[in-house]
Amino acid sequence: MTGVRRTPRRVPTTLLAVPLVAVLLAGAALLSACTQSVDGRATLAGSTPRTSPPTRPATSTVPPTTAPPAPAPAAVFADCSQVLRLPGITIPASLRGKLTAGCARYDVPLDYANPSGSTTRLLMIKIHDVDSSTPTGTLLMNPGGPGGSGAELVLGVLAKMSPTILQHFDLLGFDPRGVGLSTPIRCLTDAQKDTLNAAAPDVTTSSGFAAAKANAKTFATSCEQKVGPGLRYYNTVNTARDMDRIRQSVGDDKMNFLGFSYGTELGSVYAHLFPDKIRVAVLDGAVDPLTSGTRQFADQLQGFEDAFDQFALSCRRLPACKPIGNARAAVAAIEARAQRSPLITGSGRRLTASLVSTGVLQALYSKDLWAKLAAALLAAGRGDGAGLLALADEYNQRDKSGHYSNINDANVTISCNDSAPGPSDASIRRLATDWTKRFPLFGKWAVPSVFSCQQWQPARVVPPKPSAATATKVLVIGNLHDPATPYQGAKDLTATMGNAELLSWNGQGHTSYLQGSTCVDNYVNHYLIAGQLPPDNTTCPR
């Protein structure tokens, strides 16, 4: 179950790309698991039972023709105290007394081809500035993934969001279907995830190939058993349709959208399906619409290999980091040592070779994590794996009590439901040999993930290629050194959508907005409020 996801933007108190922690609540509030997880073959939690699923083609590249659902009822936002745990609330001084938070549970059709049938329940959080008497509308936000919690995102960005944006928009975060508190999909237990995340099968060997394939089969079978026939409906096209129900539910005539990483795919699919409903849309850290499957995966791996080289170059210049020496050789030595005998961590858990790779990759999401990576590598070189294990837990969203979020369950479900069947065993064997050579840091670690969709349920809906026949141009943002969504994806998305403009940033790490560039932030804020784009071919400096 290890491997690079369609990398969610994850925002902690410093707005780094690591697991979400709410700034509004001093980094302490987490969304509670008050919504029942998906369980039972015939019934989805928060959903109406269905006796049998409708018949569909195994794979569709065009969304099925749907009967229009009834007009979306208004969402009712109420006190969030039953949704959030609020230990030690510390609202930033500049925001105290200015903001209110409301939560809503909202039902949407499970299957839009049968809009009067079963429903699934979404969780939404709305942040309102009490000084705003005439807001422009609601700004719907998605952090990426698939599997990132939009409800947590809106809490996480408040300290960095311009007061002008808060005055013009109610911020609205939602957990997409199957994610977080929106009828969450949970396929494996925490103990099973511990085992699979620590496993390091070498797919270039017969035994490793068999183990990786068996692990993927276990995951797929467990998802089908726990979720049942409704599993097929957790996909990007249906989530985009959910977004339009949400737009209607808050009374907006047009959509204002801010999406990061996989959120750019959601936003582009929404613009394709509902081009006349877009007011403004910012797509930051673009998923490339011209690549898919293993090619897209390989582009990500190359991005992380390049990002590690940037870290290594920086490391040679910093006194605290110089003792590492050759950073690539240091990681290889730590992995080899962990492969022979997992490293101690000061707890009952051990750092395996797979978790070494996961921890290193996690730190490459943001330059602000490089110092933490350096310290972790130095400690691991002395036999202490605690620092790398902590980074791996951040990536896997495992808390100190040993409980995982459902980000990986949702990520695999949505990614596989969006993908054409495959690849074949022969293709995976070729990839295992190729990636191990091309990507010496992450290739061997990543190959087991390629099995994820091979044995998945067959009813797939591949998202359509995006276009933007919108009245207002969509703003795409590309970071020149983004490892998770390489810059070429931003150029390809801009060209494919047609009615879009590209804003570039000569930065490092994943995504650009609210990552420290005043230039990027000012252009985005002006576009959101006034609908005016930056000058053509703008690149913000480092």
Side-chain angles (χ1 to χ4, degrees):
M1 298 318 301
T2 54
V4 183
R5 306 183 186 102
R6 281 201 273 171
T7 47
R9 173 182 169 87
R10 292 167 279 178
V11 189
T13 53
T14 51
L15 293 176
L16 308 180
V18 290
L20 296 169
V21 182
V23 174
L24 175 63
L25 308 176
L30 296 174
L31 292 175
S32 66
C34 62
T35 297
Q36 180 185 351
S37 62
V38 173
D39 195 11
R41 180 164 181 79
T43 304
L44 299 173
S47 304
T48 304
R50 178 191 295 279
T51 55
S52 61
T55 301
R56 286 284 182 80
T59 305
S60 172
T61 55
V62 179
T65 302
T66 64
V76 179
F77 290 88
D79 178 23
C80 280
S81 61
Q82 297 302 310
V83 178
L84 300 177
R85 297 195 303 268
L86 309 177
I89 299 175
T90 305
I91 298 175
S94 61
L95 302 178
R96 290 174 190 165
K98 287 178 58 63
L99 302 177
T100 62
C103 295
R105 303 284 189 185
Y106 196 75
D107 290 340
V108 294
L110 181 65
D111 174 13
Y112 279 92
N114 182 19
S116 61
S118 303
T119 61
T120 188
R121 180 161 292 179
L122 308 180
L123 181 280
M124 300 187 286
I125 294 182
K126 182 172 66 175
I127 305 297
H128 175 71
D129 186 331
V130 297
D131 293 335
S132 176
S133 57
T134 56
T136 302
T138 303
L139 180 61
L140 187 65
M141 302 170 66
N142 180 274
S149 166
E152 289 187 356
L153 175 67
V154 297
L155 299 174
V157 300
L158 289 177
K160 291 286 185 178
M161 190 70 78
S162 166
T164 306
I165 293 294
L166 296 173
Q167 290 165 10
H168 278 83
F169 295 98
D170 288 339
L171 303 186
L172 183 65
F174 77 109
D175 287 357
R177 55 172 61 201
V179 173
L181 295 180
S182 291
T183 320
I185 291 170
R186 291 194 181 276
C187 301
L188 300 180
T189 66
D190 290 335
Q192 287 175 309
K193 290 179 181 179
D194 273 344
T195 299
L196 289 178
N197 286 333
D202 181 354
V203 178
T204 63
T205 68
S206 297
S207 59
F209 187 97
K213 184 163 184 169
N215 288 343
K217 179 64 173 178
T218 295
F219 189 97
T221 300
S222 181
C223 288
E224 289 192 58
Q225 290 175 344
K226 290 189 175 182
V227 182
L231 183 67
R232 68 180 64 184
Y233 301 117
Y234 292 86
N235 60 51
T236 294
V237 168
N238 278 340
T239 299
R241 296 190 184 280
D242 293 344
M243 288 164 54
D244 199 58
R245 301 288 286 178
I246 291 170
R247 174 194 64 78
Q248 297 174 58
S249 79
V250 296
D252 282 1
D253 292 332
K254 301 285 185 178
M255 171 69 77
N256 306 291
F257 181 72
L258 172 59
F260 300 98
S261 194
Y262 163 75
T264 67
E265 184 172 350
L266 265 182
S268 64
V269 170
Y270 180 89
H272 179 88
L273 296 176
F274 305 100
D276 60 331
K277 298 301 182 183
I278 292 282
R279 178 187 169 271
V280 289
V282 176
L283 309 180
D284 182 6
V287 174
D288 196 326
L290 302 184
T291 63
S292 61
T294 56
R295 178 182 168 188
Q296 192 173 83
F297 203 161
D299 289 345
Q300 280 192 325
L301 292 173
Q302 186 62 62
F304 281 105
E305 295 276 343
D306 293 344
F308 186 85
D309 288 338
Q310 294 166 7
F311 159 76
L313 179 63
S314 173
C315 194
R316 290 198 294 267
R317 300 169 180 166
L318 300 175
C321 199
K322 280 185 178 179
I324 292 175
N326 183 319
R328 278 185 174 267
V331 172
I334 293 166
E335 287 184 339
R337 181 175 178 178
Q339 188 70 47
R340 293 190 301 270
S341 178
L343 276 63
I344 61 171
T345 64
S347 68
R349 300 169 66 208
R350 295 277 182 146
L351 182 77
T352 65
S354 176
L355 292 170
V356 171
S357 297
T358 307
V360 172
L361 182 134
Q362 167 63 16
L364 300 178
Y365 275 85
S366 171
K367 187 176 180 179
D368 291 339
L369 288 176
W370 288 3
K372 190 173 182 179
L373 175 59
L377 291 177
L378 286 168
R382 300 189 295 268
D384 179 3
L388 285 173
L389 183 63
L391 284 166
D393 284 350
E394 289 178 359
Y395 180 88
N396 290 319
Q397 294 198 3
R398 182 191 194 273
D399 66 24
K400 292 182 179 179
S401 71
H403 179 63
Y404 287 86
S405 78
N406 85 318
I407 189 169
N408 196 57
D409 311 75
N411 184 277
V412 173
T413 296
I414 297 166
S415 297
C416 292
N417 283 342
D418 283 0
S419 303
S424 67
D425 283 1
S427 295
I428 295 175
R429 287 192 172 93
R430 288 193 296 269
L431 282 175
T433 301
D434 179 38
W435 285 8
T436 300
K437 294 177 181 177
R438 287 173 59 195
F439 313 121
L441 278 176
F442 302 114
K444 184 182 291 187
W445 168 82
V447 173
S449 290
V450 179
F451 284 99
S452 296
C453 301
Q454 187 194 54
Q455 301 165 89
W456 195 253
Q457 68 83 24
R460 318 285 183 89
V461 178
V462 179
K465 285 289 186 290
S467 62
T470 54
T472 302
K473 277 191 175 182
V474 170
L475 178 61
V476 178
I477 311 175
N479 180 342
L480 272 60
H481 306 288
D482 191 323
T485 48
Y487 179 67
Q488 184 63 41
K491 295 196 291 185
D492 289 345
L493 181 60
T494 304
T496 304
M497 292 193 76
N499 196 26
E501 183 172 310
L502 175 62
L503 170 65
S504 304
W505 179 41
N506 185 18
Q508 291 172 318
H510 186 31
T511 72
S512 305
Y513 182 54
L514 304 178
Q515 294 286 50
S517 170
T518 302
C519 172
V520 171
D521 292 355
N522 286 344
Y523 278 128
V524 172
N525 293 341
H526 188 60
Y527 168 76
L528 288 172
I529 292 168
Q532 296 180 4
L533 292 158
D536 288 344
N537 303 313
T538 295
T539 297
C540 287
R542 191 182 300 271

